[in-house]
Amino acid sequence: MSRLLAAVLTMAAAAALAVGAALGVVALLDATPAQPNTPLITYENTGQER
């Protein structure tokens, strides 16, 4: 019975660790500032129609 209890506790601890790691990754991704959406190349409009 003690082996079964140890296996269940190990499984619960592993699941809690996985959930904690996932929440930590999400928190880190939310903490990074949003990058501005500016184009690297801009084309000047000369007023000519295509």
Side-chain angles (χ1 to χ4, degrees):
M1 187 66 160
S2 66
R3 283 187 168 214
L4 180 61
L5 181 62
V8 169
L9 289 177
T10 302
M11 184 183 66
L17 184 63
V19 169
L23 292 176
V25 167
V26 170
L28 284 176
L29 290 175
D30 284 341
T32 58
Q35 298 296 320
N37 189 14
T38 55
L40 295 176
I41 300 173
T42 57
Y43 297 101
E44 292 185 18
N45 190 1
T46 59
Q48 297 176 351
E49 295 290 326
R50 290 184 179 184

